[in-house]
Amino acid sequence: MDNISLIGFMGSGKSSVGKELAKLLPSMELIDLDSYIEAMTGRTIPEIFENDGEAAFREMEKSALEDIFMTGDLSGGSYILSLGGGTVTTEACRKMIRRNTTCFYLKASIDTLVHNLETWPGDRPMLKGGKSLRSRIEELMASRGSIYEKTAHHVVDVDSDDYTSAAVDIISLLD
Ligand code: S3P
């Protein structure tokens, strides 16, 4: 089976849907790009942002994808890739994702994102700063929304779905 990738804003459920997909497709291996980068660097994502900044983190995302798709031990297999919310802001990453995976955009409304990120805030450097959570989400979505749409092969609405239904929807869309 082809590789599957999940893209979408922070809090849209990429990691959770990835886990559901991995249960339903046991022959595929689940890779969470943030975890992959943390293992690759021996540092946490917040540490990388704090010490090196966003641009350096975007380079690491690109190197990690190159590793996964081209040079690493993983290049032969079949993977479910749960990507970071900003991975697709890098053109080279978008190209690799479209070429090497069937890409699904987990599309959530601003209300859903606010709700999910208030419920499970995590440690997310891109949401730090003086602004309210909603206005920061709106600001980032204004620049990212069209990028998610144009990168994905399929869009899955996750506002009303639970994560298992989203995974089932994704499987039904595979060739
Ligand atoms: C980011 C999203 C995060 C992580 C990093 C940057 C972003 O992943 O890659 O903090 O720019 O949207 P999640 O979408 O899994 O939270």
Side-chain angles (χ1 to χ4, degrees):
M1 189 177 280
D2 283 348
N3 298 315
I4 295 171
S5 65
L6 305 177
I7 63 170
F9 202 80
M10 292 167 271
S12 59
K14 301 180 294 292
S15 301
S16 305
V17 173
K19 285 181 193 150
E20 290 301 319
L21 273 173
K23 279 191 223 157
L24 295 169
L25 301 169
S27 65
M28 297 183 83
E29 188 181 334
L30 176 63
I31 300 174
D32 179 285
L33 195 68
D34 282 348
S35 307
Y36 189 92
I37 292 170
E38 291 187 331
M40 188 173 89
T41 60
R43 297 150 76 199
T44 66
I45 304 297
E47 275 167 10
I48 295 169
F49 268 81
E50 197 172 324
N51 296 321
D52 300 352
E54 183 184 351
F57 176 70
R58 299 297 169 212
E59 279 300 312
M60 290 177 199
E61 289 184 302
K62 180 154 79 79
S63 305
L65 286 179
E66 283 166 356
D67 208 33
I68 290 166
F69 293 133
M70 291 165 205
T71 54
D73 295 338
L74 305 177
S75 55
S78 219
Y79 302 98
I80 300 161
L81 278 171
S82 168
L83 300 169
T87 311
V88 293
T89 60
T90 305
E91 190 189 359
C93 291
R94 289 200 293 277
K95 283 191 176 152
M96 281 189 273
I97 291 161
R98 275 199 65 92
R99 195 176 310 128
N100 294 288
T101 74
T102 303
C103 179
F104 293 85
Y105 168 28
L106 304 190
K107 185 172 184 175
S109 66
I110 302 281
D111 282 348
T112 299
L113 295 173
V114 171
H115 172 268
N116 290 352
L117 289 165
E118 275 175 350
T119 313
W120 302 283
D123 191 350
R124 293 186 160 94
M126 291 299 288
L127 297 178
K128 289 195 174 133
K131 293 206 165 103
S132 75
L133 178 62
R134 179 176 291 271
S135 53
R136 181 64 176 143
I137 293 171
E138 282 170 350
E139 176 182 67
L140 284 171
M141 271 304 287
S143 60
R144 291 182 176 183
S146 60
I147 298 179
Y148 293 135
E149 301 269 357
K150 78 174 180 191
T151 306
H153 297 101
H154 302 283
V155 178
V156 176
D157 188 326
V158 289
D159 281 331
S160 50
D161 265 357
D162 61 44
Y163 296 138
T164 312
S165 319
V168 171
D169 289 350
I170 287 171
I171 291 172
S172 75
L173 288 164
L174 292 170
D175 293 334

